[in-house]
Amino acid sequence: DAGITQSPRHKVTETGTPVTLRCHQTENHRYMYWYRQDPGHGLRLIHYSYGVKDTDKGEVSDGYSVSRSKTEDFLLTLESATSSQTSVYFCATKGAPETYEQYFGPGTRLTVT
Amino acid sequence: EDKVVQSPLSLVVHEGDTVTLNCSYEVTNFRSLLWYKQEKKAPTFLFMLTSSGIEKKSGRLSSILDKKELFSILNITATQTGDSAVYLCAANNNAGNMLTFGGGTRLMVKP
């Protein structure tokens, strides 16, 4: 939905290394979101963006940073990956402010060893 | 702190059964309640509810919202094995721009 792609789809990395996940959308949606999904916790919001260069923190933002230099791309960076950041990461988008539903990308499975 | 709670955590039924999934919420500046279905991939959007007492239907699935008691239910009638999935509900807050998700209900439909 909403032409959302995520890259990479799978990644294994070592503790302490930096990692960047990319979300790309083709629908010109204004809002973009990064979530993580862990067993027993459902989906939790990490960061979101409400426009180019406009971002804000979500519920679980510690250890993560984001950037949005173009409407279509939203990057999530783990500056120094830890094992607790092993998770499935989903990107989502939303169109106009008066719409409520978010559409999700296929997800990235990240394993930190 | 905003909170969304779903019950039951998991459910096993046989094809043809009817199931009811529950979602309660405590969210400031509530705007809407959304239901998603998640198979082994990304969540897919099912319903959005903004008004109390108005049932939304899509085939065998239906959902209703009670804004006074702060809950929603998702009904699935004549279940099929293809209905097996995790069902997520989410409450929309902050002028509609943020979702708080519940932990999900895992439904397994046996032949």
Side-chain angles (χ1 to χ4, degrees):
Chain A
D1 285 19
I4 304 171
T5 57
Q6 293 183 230
S7 59
R9 294 293 313 281
H10 302 271
K11 186 170 182 67
V12 179
T13 192
E14 293 185 349
T15 298
T17 59
V19 177
T20 296
L21 308 183
R22 179 180 183 239
C23 177
H24 179 78
Q25 55 114 348
T26 59
E27 296 295 316
N28 202 35
H29 281 178
R30 176 180 172 183
Y31 295 86
M32 297 185 76
Y33 305 84
W34 277 107
Y35 293 90
R36 61 178 289 174
Q37 187 173 37
D38 306 289
H41 290 279
L43 283 156
R44 293 181 291 174
L45 182 66
I46 304 171
H47 282 279
Y48 71 101
S49 170
Y50 47 96
V52 173
K53 297 194 190 309
D54 293 322
T55 65
D56 206 350
K57 296 179 179 180
E59 177 189 357
V60 290
S61 59
D62 287 349
Y64 302 94
S65 62
V66 290
S67 65
R68 191 166 178 204
S69 58
K70 299 184 290 184
T71 298
E72 57 266 35
D73 289 326
F74 193 32
L75 303 181
L76 177 71
T77 297
L78 291 65
E79 302 290 347
S80 177
T82 67
S83 58
S84 65
Q85 293 176 311
T86 292
S87 187
V88 179
Y89 291 85
F90 286 102
C91 174
T93 71
K94 185 175 86 73
E98 61 270 22
T99 64
Y100 297 146
E101 58 268 33
Q102 295 179 17
Y103 296 96
F104 286 81
T108 293
R109 183 173 295 277
L110 176 68
T111 302
V112 184
T113 60
Chain B
E1 182 182 327
D2 294 340
K3 189 167 62 173
V4 176
V5 178
Q6 294 185 243
S7 64
L9 289 179
S10 65
L11 197 53
V12 180
V13 300
H14 288 91
E15 276 191 318
D17 289 349
T18 293
V19 298
T20 298
L21 310 183
N22 304 295
C23 175
S24 64
Y25 63 92
E26 293 178 33
V27 168
T28 55
N29 298 320
F30 174 82
R31 292 291 185 269
S32 62
L33 194 289
L34 288 78
W35 285 96
Y36 288 83
K37 177 181 181 182
Q38 186 177 25
E39 297 167 272
K40 293 183 186 294
K41 48 187 178 178
T44 54
F45 174 71
L46 293 175
F47 294 112
M48 183 182 70
L49 304 123
T50 55
S51 301
S52 281
I54 298 175
E55 186 182 52
K56 289 276 185 91
K57 290 197 76 169
S58 176
R60 297 175 294 101
L61 277 66
S62 63
S63 183
I64 198 162
L65 175 67
D66 185 327
K67 291 169 74 173
K68 182 180 176 184
E69 301 296 331
L70 307 183
F71 77 89
S72 175
I73 60 172
L74 175 69
N75 282 318
I76 309 175
T77 59
T79 52
Q80 303 171 357
T81 55
D83 295 327
S84 296
V86 174
Y87 290 84
L88 299 165
C89 77
N92 214 294
N93 56 3
N94 188 20
N97 296 325
M98 293 176 67
L99 290 175
T100 298
F101 280 85
T105 293
R106 182 176 296 278
L107 174 65
M108 179 182 293
V109 182
K110 292 188 171 182

